């Protein structure tokens, strides 16, 4: 166990809730280190992991289901505080001798919590004052285990919050981790600090210090390479590893011909002098565009770009002597997905990142960001001195503009979309909306429409604009851009981009739509 993890950390056991990542985010925001593991983590591993506190997540399941997710009872014998959230509360009551009933109707939505006095979980809350919470459950607790008492109720939940402070067991029927429970973070803080005795020591400063030490110890010899895309994840990973190994790191940036306007120059400028590592820039744009000629199927585009990238990257790596390590910008949501007790989600589209590269190249992996969420990576990047235009950059798909050009990819269509997308970025930035949005971009459609410019009839392309808000990209809502912003985007694209005479705005959310069009 490293020094960052030998104390003051929280174990979150996942029972399949859509909100489990939010629990971890809230705990991290309170500067307490935590990890998510599946509910069926072997008890000996739970014990050796050594949590100071354990949180049991919600679940869409019922404790009465044939294959209901059930935690090992030993979790309640560790002598550390346990907080059960929603299903976690029902499971705690079920396993410790209480009674849970299957409800005929699911309670979903806002509720008003009435708090009883005397609970450390609600320290700082005024007695009798209604507190808004978010409910989402089917089963409900009907009788508490021996030694438990009620600490909060709602009109429909007589056991909305319960506790056995002597044993350190607490439960809430609502979800304190979601934004619809405005004071939920205070409840989690009370559990972490007042009940579990955690200290707010998790921050990016300590993470940098520890991670640099770990990378130095791991990669004591041999050269290191990193595929630098210019995006947030690879850029921050490269900056962190460069601090650890210095000029033994070589970053390889491949221009695949379907990048944003000026992106290759931006990467060279941002990292050529500031990274502290060797930067190799490869212009393979003609090579990629040649392979994409005549290809319209989005999955084929992805696979062509992925395989061609591996080929180019391997060619460059062979020119570097003594390469033993490969840096990847794997983030914690990727790790969580691979640990999910349900298994990986159904494949909607192949992964943006390069797949199979480590095994193909027989290199050992360095993944310095695998414990972090996206917002933490941005914070880390700022502390490492990564330029703000990179740190605040919106997510960009690995296949680039190839999957934002619906249909065939040609040099001319790439040029048109690059120009249109640059205008979207410019107007969004000028309106001060970049930090509000998860992503904003242009899509070139395989549709032409009639228009009139001056006294001439035109028959040119249609461009769609997409702008969404999201926490992690798993779900997203379309953003109501102000009319003046939409107007500015449309006017500039139609006036400045030769080849587009009509602009439309995408007002679909994820689900059912994906963020990207392909």
């Amino acid at each position: 166990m490293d020094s960052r993890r030998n104390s003051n950390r929280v174990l979150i056991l996942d029972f399949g809730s859509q909100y489990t990542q939010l629990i971890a985010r809230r705990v991290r925001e309170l500067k307490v280190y935590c990890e998510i593991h599946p509910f069926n983590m072997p008890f000996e591993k739970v014990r050796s992991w050594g949590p100071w506190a354990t949180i049991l997540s919600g679940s869409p399941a019922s404790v009465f289901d044939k294959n209901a997710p059930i935690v090992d009872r030993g979790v309640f014998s560790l002598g550390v505080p346990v907080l059960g959230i929603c299903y976690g509360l029902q499971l705690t009551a079920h396993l410790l001798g209480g009674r849970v009933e299957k409800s005929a109707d699911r309670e979903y939505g806002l509720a008003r919590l009435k708090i009883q006095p005397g609970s450390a979980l609600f320290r700082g809350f005024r007695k009798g004052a209604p507190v808004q919470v978010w409910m989402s459950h089917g089963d409900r607790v009907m009788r508490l285990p021996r030694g438990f008492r009620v600490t909060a109720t709602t009109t429909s939940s007589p056991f909305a919050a319960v506790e056995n402070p002597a044993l350190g067991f607490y439960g809430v029927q609502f979800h304190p981790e979601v934004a619809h429970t405005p004071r939920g973070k205070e409840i989690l803080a009370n559990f972490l600090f007042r009940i579990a005795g955690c200290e707010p020591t998790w921050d990016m400063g300590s993470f940098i210090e520890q991670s640099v030490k770990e990378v130095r110890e791991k990669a004591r010899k041999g050269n290191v390479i990193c595929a630098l895309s210019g995006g947030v994840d690879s850029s921050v990973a490269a900056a962190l590893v460069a601090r650890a190994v210095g000029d033994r790191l070589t970053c390889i940036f491949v221009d695949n011909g379907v990048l944003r306007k000026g992106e290759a120059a931006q990467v060279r400028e941002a990292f050529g002098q500031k990274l502290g590592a060797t930067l190799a820039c490869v212009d393979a744009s003609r090579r990629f565009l040649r392979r994409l000629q005549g290809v319209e199927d989005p999955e084929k585009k992805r696979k062509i770009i992925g395989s061609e990238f591996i080929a180019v990257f391997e060619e460059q790596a062979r020119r570097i002597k003594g390469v033993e390590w490969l840096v990847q910008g794997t983030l914690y949501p990727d790790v969580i997905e691979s640990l999910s007790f349900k298994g990986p989600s159904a494949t909607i589209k192949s992964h943006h990142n390069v797949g199979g590269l480590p095994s193909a190249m027989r290199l050992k992996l360095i993944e310095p960001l695998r414990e972090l969420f996206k917002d933490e990576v941005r914070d880390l990047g700022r502390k490492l001195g990564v330029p703000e235009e990179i740190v605040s950059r919106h997510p960009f798909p690995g296949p680039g503009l190839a999957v934002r050009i619906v249909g065939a990819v040609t040099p001319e269509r790439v040029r048109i979309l690059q120009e249109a997308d640059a205008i979207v970025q410019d107007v969004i930035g000028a309106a001060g909306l970049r930090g509000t949005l998860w992503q904003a971009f242009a899509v070139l459609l395989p549709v032409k429409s009639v228009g009139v410019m001056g006294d001439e009839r035109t028959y040119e392309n249609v461009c769609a604009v997409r702008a969404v808000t999201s926490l992690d990209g798993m779900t997203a809502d379309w953003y109501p851009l102000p009319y003046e912003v939409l107007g500015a985007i449309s006017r500039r694209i139609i006036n400045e981009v030769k080849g587009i005479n009509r602009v439309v705005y995408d007002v679909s959310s994820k689900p059912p739509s994906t963020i990207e069009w392909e």
Side-chain angles (χ1 to χ4, degrees), residues 195-230:
I195 294 168
C198 295
E199 295 181 1
T201 57
W202 168 257
D203 59 37
M204 286 303 105
S206 62
F207 179 85
I208 291 171
E209 181 181 348
Q210 185 63 35
S211 295
V212 167
K213 179 182 177 183
E214 288 175 0
V215 172
R216 280 178 182 158
E217 290 176 353
K218 186 174 186 178
R220 291 182 179 179
K221 61 179 182 177
N223 286 323
V224 185
I225 58 173
C226 174
L228 187 67
S229 70

Side-chain angles (χ1 to χ4, degrees), residues 165-438:
L167 296 177
F169 300 156
Y170 297 78
V172 292
Q173 187 58 77
F174 55 91
H175 288 275
E177 70 272 24
V178 302
H180 297 302
T181 303
R183 299 188 69 182
K185 200 169 175 180
E186 294 177 58
I187 296 169
L188 290 172
N190 281 335
F191 175 72
L192 295 172
F193 303 135
R194 296 184 180 278
I195 294 168
C198 295
E199 295 181 1
T201 57
W202 168 257
D203 59 37
M204 286 303 105
S206 62
F207 179 85
I208 291 171
E209 181 181 348
Q210 185 63 35
S211 295
V212 167
K213 179 182 177 183
E214 288 175 0
V215 172
R216 280 178 182 158
E217 290 176 353
K218 186 174 186 178
R220 291 182 179 179
K221 61 179 182 177
N223 286 323
V224 185
I225 58 173
C226 174
L228 187 67
S229 70
V232 181
D233 305 338
S234 66
S235 300
V236 174
L240 185 61
V241 173
R243 184 169 290 197
V245 304
D247 59 9
R248 286 196 289 132
L249 171 66
T250 298
C251 293
I252 301 173
F253 173 75
V254 178
D255 183 350
N256 59 15
V258 284
L259 301 176
R260 288 176 173 171
K261 182 180 179 181
E263 190 162 16
Q266 182 190 43
V267 170
R268 284 194 295 269
E269 182 181 346
F271 290 104
Q273 302 294 328
K274 300 176 183 178
L275 189 61
T278 301
L279 177 62
C281 296
V282 185
D283 184 356
S285 53
R286 290 185 180 179
R287 176 172 173 173
F288 278 84
L289 290 173
R290 214 169 29 241
R291 287 285 315 275
L292 289 168
Q293 187 174 357
V295 178
E296 296 188 11
D297 180 79
E299 276 302 291
K300 287 184 180 178
K301 291 179 188 177
R302 291 175 185 277
K303 288 174 182 176
I304 286 170
I305 290 172
S307 63
E308 199 65 23
F309 178 86
I310 291 173
V312 174
F313 193 80
E314 282 184 314
E315 291 168 10
Q316 295 300 312
R318 281 196 290 268
R319 300 178 182 180
I320 305 167
K321 293 182 180 180
V323 176
E324 296 185 15
W325 302 91
L326 172 69
V327 178
Q328 282 194 332
T330 309
L331 301 192
Y332 196 42
D334 304 323
V335 178
I336 294 169
E337 179 71 17
S338 67
L339 291 173
S340 170
F341 78 88
K342 293 180 174 181
S345 301
T347 300
I348 297 172
K349 55 192 175 186
S350 56
H351 201 278
H352 293 333
N353 295 336
V354 176
L357 189 59
S359 59
M361 300 187 69
R362 303 182 186 279
L363 298 176
K364 293 170 282 188
L365 271 181
I366 297 175
E367 298 175 299
L369 311 181
R370 62 180 287 114
E371 296 173 346
L372 302 183
F373 289 102
K374 193 80 167 188
D375 53 339
E376 293 173 319
V377 173
R378 295 188 197 279
D379 186 22
L380 174 62
R382 292 184 178 98
K383 285 183 167 54
L384 288 168
V386 176
E388 184 61 32
E389 64 267 25
I390 299 294
V391 171
S392 60
R393 187 180 186 224
H394 289 173
F396 188 61
L401 298 181
V403 291
R404 291 180 180 173
I405 297 173
V406 182
V409 178
T410 66
E412 175 63 8
R413 299 193 81 205
V414 171
R415 179 201 65 78
I416 291 172
L417 184 55
Q418 283 178 331
E419 297 292 339
D421 188 73
I423 290 171
V424 172
Q425 304 308 318
D426 189 37
V427 176
I428 291 294
L433 292 170
R434 185 173 300 281
T436 302
L437 301 173
W438 172 263

Side-chain angles (χ1 to χ4, degrees), residues 35-286:
E35 287 184 15
I36 298 172
H37 288 271
F39 76 94
N40 54 4
M41 182 181 185
F43 177 62
E44 286 307 313
K45 286 190 175 181
V46 173
R47 194 208 307 270
S48 65
W49 198 86
W52 274 31
T54 300
I55 297 177
L56 310 180
S57 84
S59 174
S62 162
V63 296
F64 301 108
D65 290 345
K66 183 178 179 180
N67 296 312
I70 304 294
V71 73
D72 191 300
R73 290 173 183 262
V75 167
F76 297 99
S77 67
L78 290 173
V80 301
V82 177
L83 173 64
I85 295 176
C86 198
Y87 178 86
L89 162 61
Q90 297 158 13
L91 185 62
T92 299
H94 180 67
L95 294 178
L96 299 184
R99 184 162 64 89
V100 179
E101 281 192 357
K102 200 171 185 66
S103 178
D105 300 305
R106 185 173 187 86
E107 185 181 13
Y108 184 84
L110 297 176
R112 296 288 177 180
L113 199 67
K114 185 177 180 181
I115 296 169
Q116 307 297 321
S119 174
L121 199 62
F122 297 105
R123 185 74 60 86
F125 287 70
R126 187 159 54 89
K127 177 186 173 183
V131 178
Q132 178 181 305
V133 297
W134 182 259
M135 294 285 191
S136 179
H137 64 97
D139 298 348
R140 57 182 180 176
V141 176
M142 297 303 294
R143 187 185 71 239
L144 293 177
R146 182 177 299 175
F148 279 75
R149 74 180 189 96
V150 177
T151 58
T153 62
T154 69
T155 54
S156 56
S157 293
F159 303 107
V162 303
E163 66 177 29
N164 184 331
L167 296 177
F169 300 156
Y170 297 78
V172 292
Q173 187 58 77
F174 55 91
H175 288 275
E177 70 272 24
V178 302
H180 297 302
T181 303
R183 299 188 69 182
K185 200 169 175 180
E186 294 177 58
I187 296 169
L188 290 172
N190 281 335
F191 175 72
L192 295 172
F193 303 135
R194 296 184 180 278
I195 294 168
C198 295
E199 295 181 1
T201 57
W202 168 257
D203 59 37
M204 286 303 105
S206 62
F207 179 85
I208 291 171
E209 181 181 348
Q210 185 63 35
S211 295
V212 167
K213 179 182 177 183
E214 288 175 0
V215 172
R216 280 178 182 158
E217 290 176 353
K218 186 174 186 178
R220 291 182 179 179
K221 61 179 182 177
N223 286 323
V224 185
I225 58 173
C226 174
L228 187 67
S229 70
V232 181
D233 305 338
S234 66
S235 300
V236 174
L240 185 61
V241 173
R243 184 169 290 197
V245 304
D247 59 9
R248 286 196 289 132
L249 171 66
T250 298
C251 293
I252 301 173
F253 173 75
V254 178
D255 183 350
N256 59 15
V258 284
L259 301 176
R260 288 176 173 171
K261 182 180 179 181
E263 190 162 16
Q266 182 190 43
V267 170
R268 284 194 295 269
E269 182 181 346
F271 290 104
Q273 302 294 328
K274 300 176 183 178
L275 189 61
T278 301
L279 177 62
C281 296
V282 185
D283 184 356
S285 53
R286 290 185 180 179

